[in-house]
Structure formats: structure tokens, C-alpha cells
Amino acid sequence: RPIIGFMATYYKYREMGVSPSLVYKRTKDIFVNSRLFMATYSSMNDPMEAFYYGNMLTHDDIINIKRDKTKIRICSLSKTYSDVLMWAHYGGAHRGICLEVEIDDSNCSEREINYDSQLWTPNNNYNDVAEDIMSHKLIPWQYEDEVRFIRKLNGGEHNPQFLNIHITKVYLGCALTNNDVQKFQRRINCWLSSKHHPLVPVCQLQQDDLTYWNGNDHVSLL
């Protein structure tokens, strides 16, 4: 569905990086310009991204889908800030950050990911089939609890590779030292202040906040 005045919160895990690295510059850009990068499907980290079974489609359908897939930009977000694997894989091994964001972009659609045991088979109803394909992933990715924001390019967009956001909170990884926490807080406040954005709460997660427990009582950590 289109995102117009959408106020739900989603989460983006990031490394902070060290100046002047590319990771540092990209993380800084998120705070300074209130935007997230939108990737092409071919640049994403799943080698099976946008694969599907086409046995119900004609040759022309498959050609059209291939064309349409190249006209799509994707920003992947999560519905949780506390997943231990997300922190390990995308949050700098618990030494990075997780941004809580609201989406402020009327030119995108929102798609929740369906996690399937095998490649999805689109039917011959061609409407938005490229987006439908982008909304299916295999079960090993289920821990990401992913929501995607998808933009179809038509040639008239301004900065089509970015999704406009409001940052509402920042979580810091549980493996950061006290000195790192203070350094990150200062850095984030500096980035936000540089464009007169309002400051946001910054807090550090603890081990007990993470999804080790799956709703059960906590065990003792030695």
C-alpha cells in the first residue's frame, strides 16, 4: 500500500564505522539527511533474491518481470530492535546501532515479507508481480522479521535511491564500552544538530533485552 503520513515505527541495524570510512559516511548521511538507501535487488545480500518458479508464466511474462525488477528500489527494515542475530549480522556484532524510524515517503509501497519453504510461484495475474516476487523470501531469513519499502522508478523521481524517514530513537549495541556509548551519543547529537534536526533518545541495550529467551524465564549468565 502507499505510504502517506505513515507513522508506524520500524528498525534499521547499522554499523557506525570509523571516519573517514565509507560505512561511517553512509551512517552519517542517514542522520544528517534523514534518509535510508534503497538498493537494487541484484545488490542485496541474499543470493536467491527475486528468484521464483515461472512455470505458470509465459515467455513474455518472464521478460516483462525481468524488466520490471530492474526498475525497483528496495529499503529493508525490521519490525524488531532486539533480535540477537540481527545485531550480530547487521549491527556491527553488537557494537553498532539500531535506528527506530518512521517512514515519510509518499512514493513507496509497504510490503511485509512472506517466508516460504520453497521458491514462490507467481500466477499469471501480471499486476505488480515484480513487487510480489520481492515480497517472498526463503525460511532461513525469517529471523529478520522484514518489512520492505519499494519504489517503482519511472524516470521522474528526485533522489530515487533514498527513502525519507524520521528518526525517533537510537539503540546502541550491548557490547559497547561506556566510553564508546558516550562517544556515539556525542557523534549522533552532532550529526543531528548539523541540520537542526531534533535530538532523539539514545539508549544502550543490555543482554537481557535481546531475544535469547523466546518468552521463557531468563537463565543465569555466568
Side-chain angles (χ1 to χ4, degrees):
R1 59 180 183 271
I3 308 303
I4 302 175
F6 196 71
M7 299 302 289
T9 53
Y10 293 106
Y11 302 93
K12 187 69 172 181
Y13 295 78
R14 287 286 305 174
E15 296 182 45
M16 281 291 274
V18 177
S19 181
S21 70
L22 183 60
V23 170
Y24 177 93
K25 292 176 181 177
R26 287 178 173 173
T27 303
K28 178 180 178 180
D29 182 79
I30 295 171
F31 286 95
V32 171
N33 294 306
S34 299
R35 63 190 189 181
L36 292 170
F37 182 70
M38 303 190 80
T40 59
Y41 81 90
S42 58
S43 66
M44 300 180 79
N45 64 353
D46 181 0
M48 300 296 289
E49 189 69 59
F51 277 51
Y52 62 95
Y53 285 128
N55 56 321
M56 295 181 65
L57 304 174
T58 68
H59 176 73
D60 286 344
D61 286 337
I62 292 171
I63 295 299
N64 289 333
I65 290 169
K66 184 176 181 179
R67 177 202 64 208
D68 288 351
K69 288 194 300 184
T70 65
K71 295 181 179 180
I72 284 176
R73 288 275 188 163
I74 300 165
C75 183
S76 297
L77 300 172
S78 178
K79 291 188 284 184
T80 178
Y81 62 86
S82 59
D83 188 85
V84 63
L85 291 179
M86 291 292 285
W87 275 103
H89 295 163
Y90 302 110
H94 300 270
R95 293 178 175 85
I97 61 175
C98 180
L99 299 158
E100 180 183 89
V101 302
E102 296 173 348
I103 308 306
D104 184 25
D105 203 312
S106 60
N107 295 314
C108 293
S109 60
E110 175 203 355
R111 292 289 191 118
E112 290 198 21
I113 295 299
N114 300 283
Y115 297 98
D116 305 320
S117 59
Q118 60 184 6
L119 290 178
W120 184 62
T121 303
N123 58 34
N124 56 7
N125 179 5
Y126 186 68
N127 240 359
D128 292 328
V129 69
E131 283 195 40
D132 291 340
I133 291 167
M134 303 292 186
S135 303
H136 288 263
K137 296 190 73 170
L138 294 173
I139 280 178
W141 296 93
Q142 192 167 14
Y143 74 95
E144 293 185 339
D145 203 5
E146 184 180 347
V147 173
R148 288 184 166 176
F149 294 88
I150 297 176
R151 175 174 288 131
K152 291 181 181 178
L153 304 184
N154 57 32
E157 301 86 358
H158 177 65
N159 285 337
Q161 71 271 37
F162 292 107
L163 178 73
N164 297 319
I165 61 168
H166 291 301
I167 301 170
T168 55
K169 193 171 186 177
V170 180
Y171 295 94
L172 305 181
C174 69
L176 292 170
T177 66
N178 289 335
N179 286 340
D180 286 334
V181 168
Q182 294 174 17
K183 179 174 68 177
F184 283 13
Q185 286 178 317
R186 289 193 298 268
R187 186 183 299 174
I188 290 166
N189 289 341
C190 180
W191 287 341
L192 291 171
S193 299
S194 69
K195 286 290 185 75
H196 307 290
H197 298 311
L199 301 185
V200 298
V202 179
C203 62
Q204 184 181 24
L205 289 183
Q206 305 301 314
Q207 288 176 336
D208 284 0
D209 297 318
L210 299 171
T211 52
Y212 283 108
W213 318 113
N214 296 320
N216 298 321
D217 292 338
H218 290 191
V219 298
S220 297
L221 294 177
L222 300 178

